[in-house]
Amino acid sequence: MEKADVIVIGSGQGGVPLAVDQARCGRKVVLFERAALGGSCINYGCTPSKALLAAAHAAGRARLAAPLGIHAEVKVDFERVMERVRSIRASFSQGIERRLTEAGVRIVRAEASFLDPQTVTGGGLQVQSPLVVINTGTGPAIPELPDLKGLPLLTNLNIFDLEKLPRCTLILGGGYIGLELGQGLARLGSEVHIVHNHDRLLNHEEPEVGEVLAEALSRDGVHLHLDCEVNEAIYQNGICALTLADGQTLRGDAALLAAAGRIPNTAALGASAAGIDLDKQGYVVIDEHFRTTAPGVYAIGDVARQPAFTHVSWEDYRRLQAILNGEQRTRSDRVLGYAVYTEPQVGRVGLTLDQALAQGHRARAVTLPMAHIARAIEWGHDLGFYRLVVDEDTDKILGATLVGYEAAEIVHVLLAHMQAGSTWKILEQSVHIHPTYGEALPSLARLLTQ
């Protein structure tokens, strides 16, 4: 039995900086990781997907440039695209290992499980510590379909290992992973079919968001099968066939991508041995200060049902570090923003109008189409809209939905206003540079004066 001051289970974007900071303070830190260092973001999520989309969107923009008078013939070197994706991923992961090692963190490359609240075992090692932090994240949910388990299934865990572009890719799920990868593969040259069991894409967002993205995807040749269930999945002679409830049969060349949600990586933790409660879906139950139901055990990131974004996991590390130092932080004490990296992008912050009204705000929303923004017209990016939600009693900005070119960047302006407690009147009075996409934000706020 070894002794440590801190045990971290999982090397995601919250666990790594926490382990490093604790080690640099002179504490003995042991980090368990069963897979590649860096967690989902570096290995299966943000880093490889955005590297792939860099190539895909370059190709897509060129093909769709005819309205600008540009007629391009695009040739995609898929092998080179994927080599670049994997080289960036490897570089980032190696950087994580160097960072941990230089800080003095002991890395145990094994799956970890609890023997009791203060004892963790893995790789033939038992470690005891008064402080344990769980940062194991989530993994892809596999739909429960007949014969699906026998198929050579793609998920975000293995899709970036592809050597050859699938001629036809079938995707289960119309959430952000399915849409980003679906549009990306289509722009790289694959015939893509997205099967979604809701009547609109990104069904957790406002209806207009899904409508805009459906139009954008159709321009890229993506086939959408909405409000559709799969009755049967068959794999034979290198072909995957899906039979839909409406009688259609879709065939892909061994390329079926499951992107229908996430499940927590808690099955191997042995949570019950430590007295750690899990909810009905298997997520770790925590309080406002990240404490689990076991003494001395904390959980951060999406394994604890925090929003599944890298920046949230990283902020969870900062919150927990502050709490451990005696400061007053809670699990949701910052304004939350996020983005979807389709083209057009979706930038979101705070509440939608429906959410604001449900929470009791006397709220109002205004919307500005991208087709009314000079920069969008000039650059040919007129698909989408900007929407602002405000509190009519306080003038505070409650939230925003931006759908347009580089909306993931533009939304930070509104996030900063909200974090500072600013109002829409301050935004309306701001003088933004012309011609820019950001210039439209004061124009959007001015709609509230009408």
Side-chain angles (χ1 to χ4, degrees):
M1 178 79 69
E2 291 195 17
K3 302 284 187 179
D5 298 308
V6 184
I7 295 172
V8 178
I9 305 176
S11 64
Q13 298 305 296
V16 168
L18 183 71
V20 168
D21 280 5
Q22 292 289 317
R24 286 175 176 168
C25 289
R27 299 181 179 94
K28 182 179 179 181
V29 180
V30 177
L31 182 144
F32 288 86
E33 176 53 69
R34 68 181 183 181
L37 291 170
S40 292
C41 177
I42 286 177
N43 297 290
Y44 321 115
C46 312
T47 296
S49 67
K50 303 317 171 274
L52 181 142
L53 290 177
H57 290 332
R61 291 170 196 152
R63 289 197 187 94
L64 295 174
L68 303 179
I70 306 300
H71 301 276
E73 184 176 331
V74 179
K75 180 180 179 181
V76 174
D77 184 346
F78 187 75
E79 183 177 347
R80 177 68 190 102
V81 169
M82 299 309 290
E83 285 175 357
R84 178 178 177 272
V85 168
R86 289 189 285 270
S87 69
I88 294 173
R89 179 176 66 178
S91 173
F92 282 20
S93 185
Q94 290 163 9
I96 292 290
E97 183 168 15
R98 285 194 301 271
R99 184 180 175 194
L100 289 167
T101 302
E102 289 171 1
V105 176
R106 181 176 181 184
I107 303 169
V108 180
R109 293 181 177 272
E111 189 167 70
S113 61
F114 285 90
L115 296 179
D116 59 51
Q118 279 74 50
T119 309
V120 175
T121 184
L125 181 70
Q126 289 186 10
V127 185
Q128 194 171 67
S129 171
L131 174 61
V132 182
V133 179
I134 302 169
N135 182 223
T136 52
T138 58
I142 306 302
E144 296 182 4
L145 296 173
D147 301 319
L148 190 61
K149 292 182 180 179
L151 293 173
L153 203 62
L154 291 173
T155 69
N156 71 309
L157 298 180
N158 61 1
I159 191 170
F160 303 108
D161 296 324
L162 284 176
E163 300 284 348
K164 181 181 178 182
L165 179 69
R167 181 194 59 79
C168 180
T169 307
L170 310 181
I171 299 178
L172 300 176
Y176 75 94
I177 294 176
L179 298 192
E180 288 183 3
L181 294 179
Q183 188 181 43
L185 290 170
R187 288 186 156 194
L188 292 172
S190 182
E191 177 187 327
V192 173
H193 293 258
I194 296 178
V195 181
H196 191 44
N197 60 358
H198 292 271
D199 60 359
R200 69 178 193 268
L201 302 173
L202 289 184
N203 48 284
H204 295 298
E205 300 292 343
E206 296 169 283
E208 297 91 335
V209 176
E211 292 168 6
V212 170
L213 293 186
E215 170 62 24
L217 290 168
S218 70
R219 294 181 183 183
D220 286 312
V222 176
H223 303 273
L224 300 177
H225 307 270
L226 302 180
D227 205 12
C228 240
E229 299 287 347
V230 177
N231 282 350
E232 187 179 36
I234 298 174
Y235 177 71
Q236 190 174 17
N237 299 324
I239 298 295
C240 171
L242 296 181
T243 301
L244 307 184
D246 62 5
Q248 289 188 78
T249 298
L250 308 178
R251 289 180 173 82
D253 51 342
L256 176 62
L257 171 62
R262 310 286 292 173
I263 56 173
N265 293 323
T266 54
L269 278 177
S272 60
I276 299 170
D277 285 351
L278 306 178
D279 68 15
K280 291 181 180 180
Q281 285 74 44
Y283 290 90
V284 179
V285 175
I286 60 173
D287 66 11
E288 283 300 298
H289 299 95
F290 301 97
R291 291 176 297 212
T292 72
T293 51
V297 181
Y298 296 78
I300 60 176
D302 48 338
V303 72
R305 245 190 224 287
Q306 287 288 83
F309 307 111
T310 290
H311 51 285
V312 173
S313 184
W314 187 81
E315 187 62 24
D316 278 1
Y317 130 70
R318 297 214 307 159
R319 294 175 175 121
L320 180 55
Q321 183 82 318
I323 289 168
L324 295 174
N325 290 335
E327 299 176 32
Q328 296 300 312
R329 294 291 308 269
T330 63
R331 62 185 290 185
S332 55
D333 61 1
R334 291 288 186 269
V335 176
L336 174 63
Y338 58 91
V340 181
Y341 294 89
T342 49
E343 282 203 342
Q345 292 178 356
V346 180
R348 282 275 291 110
V349 63
L351 305 175
T352 65
L353 178 61
D354 285 348
Q355 290 169 339
L357 293 172
Q359 291 187 16
H361 294 278
R362 197 167 71 89
R364 179 185 175 193
V366 287
T367 302
L368 180 68
M370 291 295 290
H372 293 181
I373 300 172
R375 174 73 183 277
I377 297 169
E378 293 156 359
W379 284 58
H381 297 148
D382 56 356
L383 183 61
F385 62 90
Y386 288 177
R387 178 168 295 154
L388 187 68
V389 181
V390 302
D391 188 305
E392 293 201 82
D393 294 324
T394 65
D395 294 332
K396 293 285 184 67
I397 299 171
L398 299 176
T401 299
L402 309 183
V403 186
Y405 187 72
E406 295 296 352
E409 305 293 337
I410 307 300
V411 77
H412 287 92
V413 176
L414 298 171
L415 192 156
H417 273 277
M418 293 174 65
Q419 189 67 52
S422 179
T423 68
W424 68 264
K425 292 183 177 179
I426 298 297
L427 177 63
E428 185 273 333
Q429 294 165 9
S430 302
V431 181
H432 286 198
I433 298 167
H434 174 78
T436 63
Y437 294 102
E439 176 190 25
L441 297 180
S443 299
L444 176 64
R446 286 183 197 115
L447 295 176
L448 290 160
T449 66
Q450 300 175 6

